[in-house]
Amino acid sequence: MKKTAIYPGTFDPITYGHIDVIQKSLKIVDNIIVAISDGSQKKYFFSADERMEIVKKALFSDLSFNKSKIKVISFNSLTTDLCKKYKSNIILRGL
């Protein structure tokens, strides 16, 4: 069975710390869903669409990560709902 991990966050903007978590996680899971929060409770520096483009450019253009292993999405629901939707029981978090 494939292991899919959800990596939720604002990614406003993505940092080397975020990238490090993604890179290390690819060693232990098959797929990662980078879930960019679009909740209205916070004031963001970049819009959700801009953050998605920045993350995609950083991961796929600049760092050449495998597109078949990483999916970048935007969400405004509970993280647990996202886990159910993508049949994931792994949530990535970093410090």
Side-chain angles (χ1 to χ4, degrees):
M1 177 178 246
K2 284 194 168 195
K3 292 188 239 175
T4 299
I6 306 285
Y7 188 18
T10 59
F11 301 98
D12 192 28
I14 191 166
T15 65
Y16 288 120
H18 295 127
I19 292 166
D20 189 49
V21 169
I22 292 167
Q23 192 168 29
K24 288 179 179 176
S25 299
L26 284 171
K27 295 176 184 176
I28 59 172
V29 298
D30 299 305
N31 298 303
I32 297 173
I33 297 171
V34 178
I36 299 171
S37 174
D38 189 23
S40 60
Q41 300 87 351
K42 288 188 176 182
K43 182 173 174 140
Y44 299 107
F45 188 70
F46 295 104
S47 71
D49 290 336
E50 289 173 319
R51 288 182 278 144
M52 281 188 63
E53 289 306 311
I54 292 168
V55 169
K56 286 179 183 178
K57 183 180 182 309
L59 297 179
F60 305 131
S61 296
D62 297 342
L63 299 170
S64 301
F65 281 8
N66 189 340
K67 286 184 181 180
S68 67
K69 292 186 169 268
I70 301 170
K71 183 175 184 174
V72 180
I73 64 165
S74 177
F75 79 106
N76 60 2
S77 63
L78 295 173
T79 303
T80 54
D81 293 339
L82 207 57
C83 290
K84 288 176 188 173
K85 180 178 179 179
Y86 290 99
K87 296 179 175 77
S88 173
N89 60 357
I90 302 168
I91 299 174
L92 302 175
R93 296 303 303 158
L95 295 174

